[in-house]
Amino acid sequence: MSKSICDAKCESCDLISRRQVLRGAGKVAVGAAAAAAVSGITMLPKARASAAYPWPYKKIDPKRAGEIAYENWYKDYCCYATVSGILVPLQESVGEPYASLPLEAFRFGHGGTVGWGTLCGTLLGAGIASSFAAGKTGEKITNDVLQWYATTDLPTYKPANAKASIKNTNVSNSPLCHVSVSTWMEKEGVPFKSPERKDRCARLAANVAMKTVELLNAHADGTYKPAHGSQVKEHNRPAQSNCDGCHS
């Protein structure tokens, strides 16, 4: 009987001791947090604490950006392709904070944002990358890329090992995925799921990555000058330039 009573007491003692240890650990943690707050020390990972915005930028070879974007379109489509064409070289040349950025998170931009046919995913990718690398100037760069995209015969990129053969380029007169891809498909005479349409979009991602890098490089050199004005000021509302395409 005495042994069982002793065992019970020991178990109770152990339980009380564990509670005391946990309470003590909690007090230490609270004390450390309070001390950090008073001293101004930020309790954040080192890489995050040192990542001033915009992030550092080193000039990129546009050809390499195009090659990465073209190949990566076949991995996770247009937005991811363009982002990776610009940011993968920076992950290699700059390192952190780019190295910790999961580029697959930008896959959602495919098909004009998960297939809704709105802003072309290549342009969304250009805006994301430009914002990281150029801050507020990234908005002006993105604005210029949108204008260039809508008024240029595309795609002009010629991959070294094309996955399909295409005959046509087209001027979309719009930054919208639905308009851009539909007018090209009609001109090429192919359906949406054809190898030709897929390769057209992969080449387009390469073109947009290369154009964005061209402007980012100019910004790094101090020679970048915005070429396109405000859409809001021009139309007195947020709008694309080709309204008659849908609103005749």
Side-chain angles (χ1 to χ4, degrees):
M1 176 67 71
S2 58
K3 185 177 186 298
S4 62
I5 292 172
C6 182
D7 288 344
K9 287 183 178 180
C10 289
E11 289 172 4
S12 299
C13 291
D14 288 344
L15 182 59
I16 291 169
S17 297
R18 284 196 296 271
R19 287 174 178 170
Q20 289 172 337
V21 170
L22 289 172
R23 280 200 297 268
K27 290 177 181 178
V28 170
V30 171
V38 170
S39 64
I41 299 171
T42 304
M43 304 293 284
L44 291 173
K46 187 176 181 181
R48 183 179 172 188
S50 63
Y53 175 79
W55 293 356
Y57 180 79
K58 289 185 179 179
K59 290 172 66 175
I60 298 167
D61 178 5
K63 181 180 178 183
R64 176 123 195 281
E67 291 169 348
I68 294 170
Y70 177 80
E71 292 298 329
N72 277 353
W73 186 94
Y74 285 93
K75 178 183 177 183
D76 267 331
Y77 311 119
C78 47
C79 183
Y80 166 77
T82 304
V83 166
S84 64
I86 302 166
L87 297 190
V88 164
L90 293 176
Q91 288 180 332
E92 296 169 348
S93 65
V94 177
E96 295 295 354
Y98 294 104
S100 296
L101 188 65
L103 303 184
E104 291 80 4
F106 306 117
R107 183 184 186 276
F108 72 92
H110 68 88
T113 306
V114 293
W116 277 72
T118 59
L119 182 67
C120 176
T122 66
L123 298 173
L124 183 58
I128 291 168
S130 295
S131 182
F132 279 124
K136 194 166 182 62
T137 304
E139 286 192 34
K140 297 176 181 179
I141 289 172
T142 304
N143 190 42
D144 283 348
V145 173
L146 263 75
Q147 172 69 6
W148 163 84
Y149 174 104
T151 58
T152 304
D153 241 342
L154 295 170
T156 58
Y157 180 76
K158 298 187 184 302
N161 298 297
K163 294 175 174 56
S165 177
I166 63 174
K167 302 188 289 287
N168 291 290
T169 58
N170 78 303
V171 179
S172 65
N173 289 314
S174 172
L176 300 181
C177 166
H178 171 71
V179 176
S180 177
V181 73
S182 295
T183 53
W184 181 86
M185 287 191 303
E186 184 176 355
K187 191 173 183 180
E188 187 80 2
V190 296
F192 181 72
K193 292 186 177 181
S194 65
E196 292 84 3
R197 195 282 307 167
K198 294 176 182 178
D199 211 60
R200 175 262 182 189
C201 288
R203 297 182 192 210
L204 190 61
N207 271 131
V208 173
M210 293 170 72
K211 179 65 177 180
T212 307
V213 162
E214 175 189 319
L215 299 183
L216 286 170
N217 286 348
H219 175 57
D221 286 336
T223 59
Y224 170 69
K225 293 182 179 179
H228 186 59
S230 168
Q231 289 291 101
V232 174
K233 289 181 180 178
E234 182 177 344
H235 300 285
N236 199 31
R237 70 195 68 189
Q240 61 163 327
S241 299
N242 181 26
C243 299
D244 290 342
C246 295
H247 304 281
S248 59

